[in-house]
Amino acid sequence: MSPVSSAERVAEEQLIQRVGRLWAFSRDSGEWETLKACFHPDASIILSWYSGPAWEFVERSRLMAGTRRPEERHKHLLGNMRTAVRERRAVHETDVQISIREFIDEILFDYTCHARFYDLYEKRDGEWRIARKSCIYERDRLDPVVPGSVPKAFYDAVSISGHASGFAYMRFRLQKKGLTMPGSIVLGGSEGERELRAEGERWLAAG
């Protein structure tokens, strides 16, 4: 196979990054068919509240969006990106800030999470789509929209010490909603991140 030129490589990277941006926009805007089209049919995803087939993630996201109150909002703000392409496979990383306004115990909160998407892409039939989407969590916080509206004991169950502090408020929010985080959640700088990156290298090598 002939070597790929710099221009061709940049063009492929831009196509992959376009899918990543489309994922975020369609997820936040409730464009579910567009969101589904960002994935290959057999794709998988693991995030803070879900681990499994991508198609089911889209359906559950749609159902959850239908239960939101008028004051509640979700936003994924994408930052720096880098993409490694080898033949028909790629690893695409993106800094992301997840911003959520939601009610917890009838108190309106702003939740903010800093993380990185670590996504495996594959080109099939000339189209780049996500084969597996993962997230590396770094740090988060939870603030009441109205200062002073939270009882002093509200945060007693939150532990912000140790390595797992990177998703302390995420876990707290999900527990309040009766949800459980998947056991394979990845934290920045952890052994889980090293294993995820090693898997990404194997993904590229197999391409």
Side-chain angles (χ1 to χ4, degrees), residues 3 6 13 17 23 36 46 56 58 69 80 126 142 154 173 176 178 191 195-196:
S6 296
E13 291 175 0
Q17 291 168 11
W23 183 96
K36 186 186 298 184
I46 176 167
E56 185 177 343
V58 175
R69 294 158 66 169
N80 296 324
L142 184 66
F154 185 81
R173 292 174 50 248
K176 286 285 187 178
E191 181 61 30
E195 292 174 359
L196 186 63

Side-chain angles (χ1 to χ4, degrees), residues 20 23 39 43-47 57 117-121 130-135:
W23 183 96
F39 295 97
S44 63
I45 183 170
I46 176 167
L47 300 173
F57 160 80
F117 287 141
Y118 190 89
D119 302 333
L120 306 184
Y121 278 71
I130 302 168
R132 196 185 75 175
K133 188 173 192 66
S134 304
C135 192

Side-chain angles (χ1 to χ4, degrees), residues 118-158:
Y118 190 89
D119 302 333
L120 306 184
Y121 278 71
E122 189 167 18
K123 190 176 187 180
R124 302 180 191 172
D125 299 324
E127 295 287 336
W128 285 104
R129 294 187 183 184
I130 302 168
R132 196 185 75 175
K133 188 173 192 66
S134 304
C135 192
I136 302 169
Y137 293 90
E138 296 176 336
R139 60 185 174 92
D140 64 358
R141 63 180 295 147
L142 184 66
D143 303 289
V145 174
V146 179
S149 59
V150 181
K152 185 177 181 180
F154 185 81
Y155 294 109
D156 285 352
V158 181

